Amino acid sequence: EGGCGQSFKPSLPVLTNVKIRVYKDFGKTEYLRYFLHVRESLDGSIIFGGSILGDDIPTGNSWIEFDFSDKLN
């Protein structure tokens, strides 16, 4: 287990998607999964979440988008 985190404050009143920039080096990534959790506060419960497999991320610098618009009702 392990990981890292990043906090940010959205500039828009409604958060419908998040794009993160990741760098994937060469190597085996079939067992890696990247998670994104959106919370009201650092220790708050998860409002939205998503994940992507390492193999689904292209090698090099990439923007990965997590879309939450279908979860807003």
Side-chain angles (χ1 to χ4, degrees), residues 2 4-5 8-9 11-12 24 26 30 34 36-37 39 43 49 59 63 70 73:
C4 63
F8 68 94
K9 292 189 179 185
S11 58
L12 299 173
K24 177 180 157 183
F26 298 99
E30 65 264 19
Y34 293 83
L36 176 80
H37 293 153
R39 303 171 187 261
D43 296 324
T59 300
W63 285 98
D70 62 333
N73 293 327

Side-chain angles (χ1 to χ4, degrees), residues 44-73:
S45 59
I46 297 170
I47 300 170
F48 301 119
S51 68
I52 186 170
L53 289 173
D55 280 353
D56 293 337
I57 299 173
T59 300
N61 284 313
S62 301
W63 285 98
I64 307 300
E65 181 174 6
F66 293 87
D67 186 353
F68 305 117
S69 59
D70 62 333
K71 296 177 178 60
L72 299 174
N73 293 327

